[in-house]
Amino acid sequence: MRRTFKNVQGKDFVTPTPTKSMMILIAGPYRSGTNDDSKLIAKNVHDMESYAMPIFRAGHIPILGEWLALPLIGLAGSRRIGDEPFNEIFHPIAVRLLEKCDAVLRVGGPSAGADEMVRVGRSLGLKIFANLAEIPAV
């Protein structure tokens, strides 16, 4: 059964043929282009999160590495972005998470970290999506 959904810009998209439910890592810029400004970082996270409901409504499980990393970074005693506890956890947990995922959705602008998640995802044989319309509904 094909389904029609609204993407983050409010436009309709029709999904391809059905498949099994997937856990999809949403990978996009976190720090890129922010000069570590907390408001710009929060906007980047919000932009990535805006893809979560369309993915969920298509029958899949959306996940951001930030949802797991940021609480742990706080527990590890991080005082600022890029300090030792931050670097110990931020990208490594996303790489570990990819081992549990079925796919990666690469969103947003330039980001070495997001590009690394795509590279690792490919090396693990995960599906790589460049936009919501490529993700089939279940």
Side-chain angles (χ1 to χ4, degrees):
M1 172 169 119
R2 293 166 62 91
R3 296 184 191 178
T4 302
F5 294 94
K6 299 278 186 204
N7 68 15
V8 292
Q9 291 84 27
K11 296 180 182 175
D12 286 343
F13 72 91
V14 178
T15 62
T17 55
T19 186
K20 70 176 185 92
S21 181
M22 295 180 283
M23 182 179 296
I24 302 174
L25 178 77
I26 303 167
Y30 179 74
R31 294 173 69 182
S32 296
T34 68
N35 199 29
D36 291 344
D37 179 298
S38 62
K39 288 180 182 175
L40 295 175
I41 289 170
K43 181 187 180 312
N44 281 347
V45 172
H46 176 77
D47 289 348
M48 286 186 283
E49 289 176 334
S50 72
Y51 292 87
M53 284 308 300
I55 290 170
F56 178 79
R57 288 182 175 141
H60 304 290
I61 302 166
I63 187 85
L64 273 71
E66 288 78 2
W67 292 346
L68 302 176
L70 295 175
L72 286 176
I73 287 167
L75 290 171
S78 177
R79 301 270 187 233
R80 68 184 186 292
I81 292 173
D83 65 10
E84 187 176 337
F86 182 94
N87 291 334
E88 174 191 13
I89 295 166
F90 192 76
H91 280 121
I93 199 166
V95 170
R96 292 178 194 177
L97 179 59
L98 281 170
E99 294 174 359
K100 305 295 184 190
C101 289
D102 302 293
V104 176
L105 172 63
R106 175 60 167 93
V107 300
S111 169
D115 291 343
E116 177 69 3
M117 296 306 108
V118 169
R119 187 195 67 72
V120 172
R122 274 198 182 102
S123 75
L124 293 170
L126 304 184
K127 294 175 181 143
I128 308 297
F129 300 113
N131 60 66
L132 286 171
E134 296 175 353
I135 300 172
V138 292

